[in-house]
Amino acid sequence: VLHSSLDMKNTLLGKRHYMLYCLSCGMRPRMLMTVDEKLQPIAVKVRVGTAVDTAGKAGKPKTITGFQTHKTPVLLAHGERAELATDYYISMTNVLEGVVIVKKNPDAVDEEG
């Protein structure tokens, strides 16, 4: 792709314009945005940190290390993972990436901070 960018007039902007479709698929940013059940954006505290491989470990190991706490929406860098910081909300998916639907936890006492 970089090689074809050297001669844009004859490749990407000329006969090989279909290569732009391949490039556009790879340009999607990794983000995390949370919405409620009515699909309204909601700010939720999340921890964003370096992803740790937890395959085959006993118990409930931590999935991230060196985390920082942010409120959504957040951008995730390469090799980063996010997890909910409090138990006030429950995620409807296992993977926190893209647009995630969350609902209030009926067992939570109150929201921290």
Side-chain angles (χ1 to χ4, degrees):
V1 173
L2 182 64
H3 186 331
S4 65
S5 298
L6 295 175
D7 189 15
M8 293 282 267
K9 187 175 182 181
N10 294 322
T11 55
L12 293 178
L13 300 177
K15 297 177 185 176
R16 313 251 191 273
H17 60 86
Y18 55 86
M19 289 182 68
L20 291 174
Y21 293 112
C22 298
L23 288 174
S24 64
C25 292
M27 290 191 286
R28 186 177 66 105
R30 292 189 60 213
M31 65 171 191
L32 172 60
M33 184 174 135
T34 53
V35 295
D36 61 3
E37 289 113 346
K38 297 177 183 173
L39 301 179
Q40 298 298 318
I42 186 168
V44 176
K45 288 185 181 181
V46 293
R47 293 186 189 116
V48 178
T50 306
V52 177
D53 185 21
T54 59
K57 294 189 179 178
K60 190 177 178 185
K62 297 288 183 186
T63 58
I64 61 172
T65 184
F67 59 85
Q68 295 178 350
T69 304
H70 300 283
K71 282 194 175 186
T72 57
V74 295
L75 285 176
L76 301 173
H78 176 74
E80 285 187 340
R81 187 179 293 160
E83 65 182 21
L84 295 176
T86 62
D87 63 345
Y88 190 70
Y89 288 99
I90 299 173
S91 172
M92 303 299 269
T93 62
N94 294 333
V95 179
L96 292 180
E97 188 174 309
V99 179
V100 176
I101 299 174
V102 295
K103 66 177 183 176
K104 288 187 179 181
N105 187 356
D107 298 331
V109 179
D110 60 352
E111 186 176 54
E112 300 173 359

